[in-house]
Amino acid sequence: MKALVFHGPEQSSWQEVPDPELEATTDAIVRIDTTTICGTDLHILRGELPDVSPGRVLGHEGVGEIVETGADVRGVRPGDRVLLSCISGCGHCRFCRERTYGQCRDGGGWILGRMIDGTQAEYVRVPFADLSTYPLTGSAESHDAVLLADVFPTAYEVGVLNGRVAPGDTVVVVGAGPVGLASIATAHFFSPGRIISVDPDPARLDAAKRVGADAVADSAEDPERLVDDLTDGLGADVVIEAVGSPRSFETCTRMVRPGGRIANVGVHARPATLHLEELWIKNVTITTGLVDTFSTPTLLSLLAAGRLPASTLITHLFELDQMEEAYDVFARAADTGAIKIALGEAARPLVARRT
């Protein structure tokens, strides 16, 4: 089969690799219909996640068809169309029993495209298939559903739920990439008073308005002043960090009110300064987290009901064998306008391809 293989920092190729095989009785083999590229994949390619070894097939998001299952798989069978979770859960360890599947201690957690070969391929082996796949109805478009593999659960769980967004809150989302936009969309489930999006890219700020931001601010033009003006100097109740940079994290700490919450969602490759000399007296709660995907069934129901603006996030469509071109477009998002890219069969395009 063909797959996108990581060869070390700044090196990857779409190449022939051996077909995956069942390795455990709880595995499934899935033919990939649709996959996508995550900002975390770019971190890997830059060498910022050293636990990813050269030779690894990248990718942790996908929709596809079950083609083979192990003897102990009960929930899915060959021919089923499924969503693949970015998180694998054994279902038996302490953390899985608490629904914190991201911290699984028995071979699960975030392993696809990191510890084992991932979804940017024609086929993938999925461990713990009963807990790590979700059957899809025929009405669920693959290019929408693939965003529920990681983007929407991450935004909802690590951003909105960890931030405890409540009715009437002022919510600031720093970063209007895919997870930031999904944070805006899912924050609306809790009726906040206003949502403010902060990003340097005018096109992404326009996208933030489309998914529900009430106000937007250029991150280079003193967004803290806008937050002050809109809250009479109090600050935001909830600030969601969806960038993963020291500067953006420190910006979040300056915009939160006393007693407020900062929910860090971004993947940080460099240390960020925690100004406890300023924060210790403010009763601020800071949360971090890896997605657990316990919310995926709920989000699938909301997608089916038309309550998730998933297709709004997709700006480019490619076929699987255009993987290297797709990576180039995604990595140059400031020039290409890319937000989220879908790769898969050309027979059912949802958006016009842009380059």
Side-chain angles (χ1 to χ4, degrees):
M1 71 170 185
K2 289 286 191 73
L4 194 284
V5 180
F6 172 64
H7 294 294
E10 308 298 340
Q11 299 178 65
S12 65
S13 62
W14 178 251
Q15 65 182 68
E16 294 277 353
V17 299
D19 291 346
E21 298 180 350
L22 297 174
E23 297 181 14
T25 58
T26 53
D27 289 350
I29 304 297
V30 177
R31 180 188 62 80
I32 293 295
D33 167 35
T34 303
T35 187
T36 184
I37 303 170
C38 180
T40 306
D41 297 321
L42 298 183
H43 283 290
I44 293 171
L45 282 177
R46 294 175 190 135
E48 295 170 351
L49 276 73
D51 55 355
V52 181
S53 303
R56 178 69 61 225
V57 175
L58 298 185
H60 51 268
E61 303 159 274
V63 169
E65 180 183 329
I66 301 283
V67 296
E68 188 178 3
T69 59
D72 291 328
V73 175
R74 297 288 183 266
V76 292
R77 60 185 180 181
D80 286 352
R81 181 166 164 263
V82 295
L83 169 69
L84 308 181
S85 176
C86 67
I87 298 296
S88 304
C90 74
H92 304 294
C93 72
R94 169 183 173 177
F95 292 105
C96 285
R97 287 179 177 273
E98 295 174 351
R99 296 201 310 164
T100 51
Y101 306 113
Q103 304 302 321
C104 176
R105 287 299 184 266
D106 195 15
W110 172 35
I111 54 175
L112 283 174
R114 176 171 167 251
M115 313 307 294
I116 67 171
D117 288 342
T119 59
Q120 290 170 7
E122 293 175 325
Y123 294 86
V124 63
R125 178 180 71 89
V126 181
F128 310 117
D130 280 332
L131 277 175
S132 305
T133 65
Y134 297 87
L136 293 174
T137 65
S139 62
E141 291 283 2
S142 295
H143 299 86
D144 289 344
V146 74
L147 299 187
L148 274 64
D150 182 358
V151 172
F152 273 97
T154 295
Y156 181 57
E157 295 174 18
V158 186
V160 174
L161 295 183
N162 279 2
R164 306 201 312 274
V165 174
D169 278 354
T170 293
V171 179
V172 177
V173 180
V174 178
V179 172
L181 295 175
S183 297
I184 293 169
T186 54
H188 274 284
F189 298 157
F190 297 93
S191 301
R194 64 171 67 87
I195 300 176
I196 304 165
S197 175
V198 177
D199 197 276
D201 186 336
R204 291 195 167 194
L205 292 178
D206 287 341
K209 293 176 185 176
R210 290 197 297 272
V211 298
D214 301 291
V216 298
D218 186 327
S219 57
E221 297 182 1
D222 196 9
E224 295 126 83
R225 177 172 295 181
L226 173 64
V227 174
D228 276 347
D229 289 345
L230 292 176
T231 61
D232 295 325
L234 183 64
D237 300 285
V238 182
V239 185
I240 296 173
E241 200 284 341
V243 178
S245 76
R247 179 178 178 181
S248 63
F249 177 77
E250 291 178 34
T251 297
C252 292
T253 65
R254 292 192 295 270
M255 292 193 291
V256 68
R257 68 165 173 83
R261 288 89 65 194
I262 299 171
N264 184 89
V265 186
V267 176
H268 289 264
R270 302 189 306 278
T273 301
L274 180 63
H275 287 285
L276 285 176
E277 77 281 5
E278 300 172 2
L279 294 173
W280 72 270
I281 202 170
K282 293 180 66 176
N283 292 15
V284 170
T285 298
I286 299 174
T287 59
T288 65
L290 173 67
V291 64
D292 293 309
T293 66
F294 64 81
S295 66
T296 302
T298 298
L299 294 170
L300 281 169
S301 296
L302 290 166
L303 180 68
R307 298 290 302 278
L308 286 182
S311 58
T312 303
L313 276 60
I314 299 172
T315 55
H316 294 72
L317 179 67
F318 292 90
E319 296 179 41
L320 273 179
D321 62 5
Q322 295 175 303
M323 186 72 68
E324 291 174 307
E325 182 183 351
Y327 259 94
D328 176 66
V329 168
F330 188 63
R332 297 186 297 108
D335 300 321
T336 64
I339 295 177
K340 197 67 175 174
I341 285 173
L343 298 103
E345 296 178 349
R348 300 197 304 163
L350 298 185
V351 294
R353 180 179 151 208
R354 303 186 332 189
T355 56

